[in-house]
Amino acid sequence: MTEFPGDLVMLTWTDYVGIARSRPVPRNTLSDRMKYGQGWAKAGQALTPFEDIAENPWGPVAEVRQVPDPTTELRLDHWADTPAFHLILCDSINQDGSVWDCCARGALKKILDIYQSELGLTVQSTFEQELVYSAADFTPGTPFSVNALRAAAHYAAQVTEALNLAGIEPLAFEPEYGVGQMEYSCKPVKGISGADRAVIAREIVREVARLSGGKATLSPKPAPDAVGNGTHIHLSFLDNRGKPALYDKDREGEVSELGGHFAAGVIRHIDSILAFTAPSPVSYLRLVPHHWAAGYNVYGLQNREAALRICPSPERNISKRGNGLNFEFRPADVTANPYLSLAALLHAGLEGIREKLEPPEMVNSEPDDISKSEKKRLGLKRLPRSLDETLTALKKDKKAMNWFPVELTESYISVKLAEIALATDEDDAATCERYRNAY
C-alpha cells in the first residue's frame, strides 16, 4: 500500500444506461460532502453510453444533489503504487430533500418498501455476471477447463481477493463457454444491497483488469459471433419470521403459491420487463434460441433456455431445502441499470401476487423445438427481437408504464430511442464494438 495525499473519493451513482457515473472529491473534503453531496445536472440522466445526450425535459439549469449513502462506502488500498479505489454510492436528492423521481436507487427502494409493508416480504437478490477478459500476454484456454482458469490465474485471484475485501462475498469465479469468458457470482443479500453490490462488483472486475494490464468487458455481445455475456438476476423472499417464502415442498417445482403468482406476473409482462433488463440494441443479438440466453417467454425448472428459471436447492435435508430455492431471471445484461432491472421484476411479480394469477405451465425442454400447436397451447412466444419491439411493447402496457414515475419512464424511453438511432446506421460489428468499449 502506498499513501497518495491527493486520493480522490468517487461519489457514484448509476444512470439509465447502467454506467456508474461519478463526481470525485478530494479525500480530505469528504466530510463536507456527506450531507449535501455534489450537484449534478438532471440532464446528465439522459446520457447514452457514448458521447451523446438524448432529448430530455431538464435542459442546462435543473439540478439534483448526488448525496452519499455512508453505508455503501468502500475503500480498497491494497494495491502497491496505485491510488486507493475509494467509492461511495449516492442517492439523487432534490433541493427540498426529497428523492428525485428519476433516481433509480430510489425507485428500487420504493418497491422494496411495498413488498415489506403490503406482503411482509424481504427481497433477497444477487446478480450473476459474465465478462470477457483480454490482455496482450493472455491466451485463453479451453472453455470450462482448468487450463482456462489457470491461464487467467492472477486476474481471477486478484478479483476474488478484491471482492472479498469489499465485503461482496464471492461464491465462485469460473471459466465459461466463450473465448476468455468468465463468470462470478456472489452471496445473495437483503434489500437494496443486491443491486448495490452489482454496481460495485462491475467496477472492481474492470479495475483489477486495468491494473493487470488487461481489459474486462461485460457487454452482452462483444462481437456478432462472440458468446454473449449475461447478468442473471437471482431473487427470493423471506417472510416476517425469516422463513423462505418461495418454497413449498408439496407443490410443483417446490415453488410456493405466492411464488407461482409472482412468476405469472413476470411472464405476463416479460416484454415490458426487457425494456429495463435488456435495454440496448446489442442485447437482442444475444437473446436468441439455442444459446442458453432465453428466446421465449418460458418458465421452467432448471431450464437454461427459460426466461424465468427455478433454481432448486441442493440441500438434501427437507427442513432446509427452502433456503436455497430461488428464481433466476436470465434475459438481463450489463447495459441495464440493476436498480431498475430488479424493480421492474418486482413490479411485474407484485401484480401477479395481487391478482393471484395462475402460474404458467412449466416448460422443461428446448422451447424452440416444441411443435407450433404445443407452443400455442402453452402460450409460448418469442421474446422481442429488437429494442424497438421491446419499447413498443412497453408503451402498449398500461400497467408497466405506471411502474415508475412518468418523468422517469418518459425520459428513460427517450434515452433508449437515442441508442436505437445511434445504431441504425451501423452494422452489427460496429455496434458491438461501441458497446464492448463502453462496458
Side-chain angles (χ1 to χ4, degrees), residues 237-239 242-248 256 320-325:
F237 309 112
L238 298 176
D239 65 21
K243 302 294 184 181
L246 279 185
Y247 177 71
D248 186 334
S256 66
K320 298 179 181 179
R321 278 184 63 79
N323 295 329
L325 186 139

Side-chain angles (χ1 to χ4, degrees), residues 265-425:
V266 169
I267 296 302
R268 173 190 276 187
H269 289 287
I270 192 163
D271 289 0
S272 298
I273 293 170
L274 292 184
F276 301 99
T277 65
S280 72
V282 292
S283 299
Y284 296 85
L285 300 178
R286 171 178 168 265
L287 297 182
V288 294
H290 304 289
H291 281 67
W292 290 18
Y296 285 81
N297 60 338
V298 166
Y299 171 57
L301 177 65
Q302 284 287 46
N303 188 350
R304 287 173 172 80
E305 282 284 338
L308 187 65
R309 172 180 172 237
I310 303 163
C311 300
S313 172
E315 178 60 59
R316 295 187 181 92
N317 185 331
I318 197 69
S319 67
K320 298 179 181 179
R321 278 184 63 79
N323 295 329
L325 186 139
N326 65 91
F327 284 145
E328 178 188 40
F329 187 80
R330 294 179 64 78
D333 62 57
V334 77
T335 64
N337 179 300
Y339 303 101
L340 295 181
S341 291
L342 184 53
L345 278 169
L346 292 173
H347 275 287
L350 180 63
E351 180 181 323
I353 293 170
R354 282 172 170 170
E355 296 185 22
K356 299 186 184 302
L357 298 179
E358 284 298 311
E361 188 171 330
M362 293 183 191
V363 175
N364 298 319
S365 61
E366 169 61 75
D368 200 49
D369 294 339
I370 295 173
S371 67
K372 288 184 178 179
S373 60
E374 184 66 358
K375 283 176 184 171
K376 184 176 181 180
R377 185 189 73 79
L378 292 167
L380 301 190
K381 296 180 181 178
R382 276 291 308 271
L383 297 180
R385 304 185 191 201
S386 69
L387 179 57
D388 185 59
E389 283 187 35
T390 298
L391 293 180
T392 298
L394 173 63
K395 286 184 279 189
K396 290 180 178 179
D397 187 339
K398 293 181 180 179
K399 291 190 176 181
M401 287 292 287
N402 286 306
W403 288 343
F404 303 114
V406 172
E407 183 182 19
L408 188 158
T409 303
E410 291 185 351
S411 57
Y412 179 88
I413 290 173
S414 178
V415 171
K416 297 296 125 184
L417 291 173
E419 286 189 68
I420 292 171
L422 288 168
T424 298
D425 296 329

Side-chain angles (χ1 to χ4, degrees), residues 186-236:
C186 301
K187 184 178 178 180
V189 285
K190 298 175 182 177
I192 198 77
S193 296
D196 284 346
R197 285 186 171 191
V199 172
I200 294 170
R202 292 173 183 179
E203 298 311 317
I204 286 175
V205 300
R206 294 186 183 111
E207 176 77 1
V208 174
R210 278 191 292 268
L211 295 178
S212 70
K215 292 182 180 180
T217 181
L218 290 82
S219 173
K221 202 69 172 174
D225 58 349
V227 173
N229 291 317
T231 298
H232 305 151
I233 305 172
H234 292 259
L235 66 125
S236 60

Side-chain angles (χ1 to χ4, degrees), residues 149-173:
L149 179 63
R150 295 306 295 169
H154 289 290
Y155 176 65
Q158 289 173 36
V159 168
T160 303
E161 179 187 22
L163 292 174
N164 269 316
L165 290 172
I168 293 179
E169 302 174 282
L171 297 177
F173 190 95

